[in-house]
Amino acid sequence: MKWMIVVIMEFLPGNDSTDFYIFTDPYFKNQQECRMFVNDPTQTPALAGKLVEVFGIRMINNVFCAPETKINRYILEQEAV
């Protein structure tokens, strides 16, 4: 099973949706491997750089590791709404 990093950005006034980013590369074999990567300070510049590229300067609300199956299920549920 693939595990991926999911980042939820702070809510912006006037925007009715939550912005999030799923890092599909790299992906990990398990949650522990993913968490070790996220907590490694040498990885912070690359992760932050990508988020700034996508969202500009914004605060991060949450960062977590999730299995691909749950991410896919969430996306499908959102598309059905």
Side-chain angles (χ1 to χ4, degrees):
M1 175 182 340
K2 287 184 186 178
W3 285 75
M4 295 179 229
I5 301 167
V6 179
V7 179
I8 300 175
M9 306 305 287
E10 281 289 329
F11 176 76
L12 283 179
N15 185 355
D16 62 351
S17 65
T18 301
D19 290 325
F20 64 93
Y21 188 83
I22 300 167
F23 284 88
T24 56
D25 181 35
Y27 63 86
F28 308 92
K29 294 180 280 186
N30 56 53
Q31 184 181 29
Q32 181 180 1
E33 190 179 278
C34 181
R35 290 177 122 193
M36 286 175 57
F37 185 90
V38 168
N39 290 321
D40 180 353
T42 64
Q43 302 302 332
T44 302
L47 295 174
K50 183 62 179 177
L51 294 172
V52 168
E53 179 184 315
V54 173
F55 298 107
I57 304 297
R58 298 249 320 260
M59 296 295 293
I60 295 172
N61 184 297
N62 200 358
V63 178
F64 59 94
C65 296
E68 181 180 34
T69 53
K70 284 194 175 187
I71 293 169
N72 289 339
R73 189 172 348 148
Y74 175 79
I75 291 169
L76 289 173
E77 287 172 359
Q78 294 306 306
E79 289 177 351
V81 174

